[in-house]
Amino acid sequence: MRVSNDPGGPAAAPRRSGRAAPLSWPAVVLWLVGITAALAITGVVLSRETGLAPFLVFLPTLISGRGTVRQTAVASAWATLVIAGSLIRSPLGTPAANASVLVFAVALNGLSVAQAARRVLREGEITRLRSAAAALQRQILRPFPLTTGELTVHGLYEPVEEDSLVGGDVYEVVATPYGSRAFIADVQGKGLPAISTAFSVLSSFREAALAEPTLGGVVAALEESVLRHNSFAVQTGEEERFVTAFVLGVGAETKVQAINCGHIPPYLIDEERTGRVPLGEASVPLGLASLSGEPRPVKWFDFPYGSTLLLCTDGVTEARNPAGAFYPLEERVASWKGVPAEDIAPTVRHELQEYTRGRLADDTALLILHRKAATSATTESSNPAEDPQR
């Protein structure tokens, strides 16, 4: 398989920090001077200048939520000095009352600085963790486009880098002696344990896709991989996880085979027909085969030459707008009939960013599989990916 370094691949996907941008010094100064001036004017108008004290004492606490430790310390010193000046100019009834206000201000400001220090330290640790997880994902998942004898595959992969929200979405496309085999999966849960499970299943697919002559054999190998990983997870105190997956086998014929393990069904984009591929009810996810008394069936459907198949994870279908409505993927697919395959993934990414206002809550994985036009070699060969269960 030839793989080129497309800028749309995971290696070049833009990173999302998952937190608000820190305050700039001009913003901090504006807050300090602006709020102080507003309270001072209000105090003069109302003849209650000491009203500054109960308001300014909380200003450093507000800044500590987004500012640096130095910015919080400056805000604390400013608030303490202004409160002290206000009390000197217009003292309270007793010296004890003045002292109590100052002591409270100093104590609360000190806590604000400590809070900012803890937050900055925690954000640094989270950033390093996210960076390590994202770097690992970029090394394991290959960049688009991917090319086999039957397919040209474009796509999109963007992990959510926000605390433990990073998930276990994986994909792969492999050229095998039995035709092209594609795989997309989503592990239950979030965080590094989910990534570990995802990489285990991905490695198993890469091996089984080349070794197993039938698609059912590939899925059986994936099931065993999840069960082994869950067994090890229990020994180390982690939770067992299941994996939704969609496995596709494409040979020389226009009829292709698929096994859906609890995953989102594919969408076909073709001149004659566009929409969800009717595959019936999905089988149980990987890791839960014991709950079903029957083997996972192999389904067959038409994937014409020159058409495009869209596979995705629930980061696409469950993306929400500010009103809470889901992204209408099925409606949008119909509008992409004339869009070149290489432009569909950027189109989806742009639409998701606009629809969610840039606040995606889950990993986004998308495969755009374009079926190459038939060649003489293709039409003369038999379908090596044919499953005995046909």
Side-chain angles (χ1 to χ4, degrees):
M1 174 184 295
R2 179 179 60 82
V3 180
S4 64
N5 292 322
D6 191 306
R15 318 293 356 132
R16 298 189 297 275
S17 65
R19 68 172 189 270
L23 293 175
S24 63
W25 275 107
V28 173
V29 172
L30 183 62
W31 277 35
L32 295 179
V33 176
I35 293 178
T36 301
L39 292 176
I41 293 172
T42 303
V44 171
V45 171
L46 300 178
S47 300
R48 295 179 58 189
E49 295 182 38
T50 53
L52 284 171
F55 290 100
L56 278 181
V57 74
F58 294 106
L59 183 56
T61 303
L62 297 176
I63 292 179
S64 69
R66 286 183 56 187
T68 64
V69 176
R70 181 175 297 181
Q71 290 171 341
T72 306
V74 169
S76 298
W78 172 274
T80 302
L81 290 175
V82 172
I83 292 173
S86 176
L87 291 175
I88 291 173
R89 190 173 188 277
S90 302
L92 298 176
T94 63
N98 293 328
S100 64
V101 169
L102 279 176
V103 169
F104 178 74
V106 171
L108 187 59
N109 291 340
L111 290 175
S112 298
V113 174
Q115 175 185 339
R118 287 195 299 270
R119 177 184 60 79
V120 170
L121 179 62
R122 179 173 176 271
E123 287 180 351
E125 293 174 347
I126 292 172
T127 298
R128 288 190 292 273
L129 178 62
R130 289 197 302 260
S131 298
L136 185 59
Q137 288 170 317
R138 290 194 295 271
Q139 290 297 319
I140 297 297
L141 297 175
R142 297 186 291 172
F144 299 107
L146 308 174
T147 302
T148 69
E150 295 80 15
L151 301 170
T152 299
V153 183
H154 301 274
L156 170 68
Y157 179 72
E158 290 189 12
V160 172
E161 298 183 18
E162 183 174 352
D163 279 358
S164 61
L165 291 183
V166 60
D169 293 10
V170 289
Y171 64 85
E172 185 57 283
V173 180
V174 181
T176 78
Y178 316 105
S180 300
R181 285 173 170 175
F183 164 77
I184 189 168
D186 187 1
V187 178
Q188 174 200 18
K190 307 291 181 184
L192 291 178
I195 295 176
S196 175
T197 304
F199 290 168
S200 175
V201 177
L202 177 62
S203 298
S204 178
F205 173 77
R206 287 171 173 168
E207 295 179 3
L210 293 168
E212 294 292 337
T214 68
L215 206 65
V218 174
V219 172
L222 298 180
E223 175 73 21
E224 288 299 320
S225 174
V226 174
L227 293 178
R228 287 194 302 269
H229 194 275
N230 281 340
S231 177
F232 178 77
V234 169
Q235 297 177 30
T236 57
E238 296 288 347
E239 296 181 356
E240 293 183 282
R241 300 174 186 273
F242 63 80
V243 181
T244 67
F246 188 88
V247 185
L248 179 72
V250 180
E253 299 177 359
T254 56
K255 285 279 187 180
V256 298
Q257 56 180 329
I259 298 180
N260 188 349
C261 306
H263 200 74
I264 300 166
Y267 290 83
L268 181 67
I269 303 174
D270 186 36
E271 290 298 328
E272 297 183 1
R273 184 176 66 85
T274 297
R276 180 180 295 187
V277 178
L279 295 177
E281 186 176 354
S283 302
V284 295
L286 299 173
L288 301 179
S290 60
L291 301 180
S292 174
E294 301 178 354
R296 296 182 176 92
V298 176
K299 303 292 182 68
W300 294 81
F301 66 93
D302 283 320
F303 186 9
Y305 302 119
S307 63
T308 300
L309 198 67
L310 183 151
L311 305 177
C312 67
T313 59
D314 58 11
V316 177
T317 58
E318 296 183 4
R320 296 174 183 259
N321 64 13
F326 290 117
Y327 175 68
L329 176 62
E330 191 159 5
E331 297 177 12
R332 299 301 304 142
V333 165
S335 67
W336 301 333
K337 181 179 290 187
V339 179
E342 63 269 20
D343 294 335
I344 294 178
T347 299
V348 174
R349 182 182 183 277
H350 177 72
E351 291 189 2
L352 287 175
Q353 290 292 332
E354 283 195 340
Y355 192 79
T356 63
R357 303 296 190 270
R359 298 186 64 85
L360 292 169
D362 198 357
D363 287 4
T364 302
L366 182 71
L367 292 183
I368 308 297
L369 298 91
H370 183 70
R371 186 76 188 265
K372 294 181 179 180
T375 64
S376 58
T378 300
T379 54
E380 290 173 5
S381 63
S382 61
N383 184 0
E386 184 171 349
D387 196 296
Q389 299 181 57
R390 183 175 179 176

